[in-house]
Amino acid sequence: GEVRFDLSLADAGPLLPGLSGPATATGTASRAPDGSLAVLVDATAPGASARIDATVAPAEAGSAVSGTARIAASDLRPFS
């Protein structure tokens, strides 16, 4: 099966200290017949964006994570 999500925060500050303003995350998570989990996420926060495309192996295979993440931030100070 597949789960789709669309999340938004009016203010990212309580979740991401140092940031102020809206944040969003949209994407999908789906379980493959072999038990692996495929996740695709697009996220934005004030001055930052991310796209994550990953696969998580089933627990019996060590839960290894593979994939790509593209992250852009205009200022890294709020994340440190």
Side-chain angles (χ1 to χ4, degrees):
E2 181 176 272
V3 174
R4 295 180 184 274
F5 58 90
D6 188 351
L7 310 169
S8 63
L9 293 171
D11 183 12
L15 184 62
L16 301 167
L19 292 180
S20 177
T24 64
T26 60
T28 59
S30 58
R31 179 82 55 194
D34 70 354
S36 63
L37 181 65
V39 180
L40 179 61
V41 179
D42 288 299
T44 62
S49 64
R51 179 171 183 85
I52 300 166
D53 186 355
T55 300
V56 182
E60 58 272 10
S63 300
V65 178
S66 61
T68 59
R70 287 178 289 203
I71 301 169
S74 59
D75 183 0
L76 295 177
R77 285 178 289 185
F79 301 99
S80 60

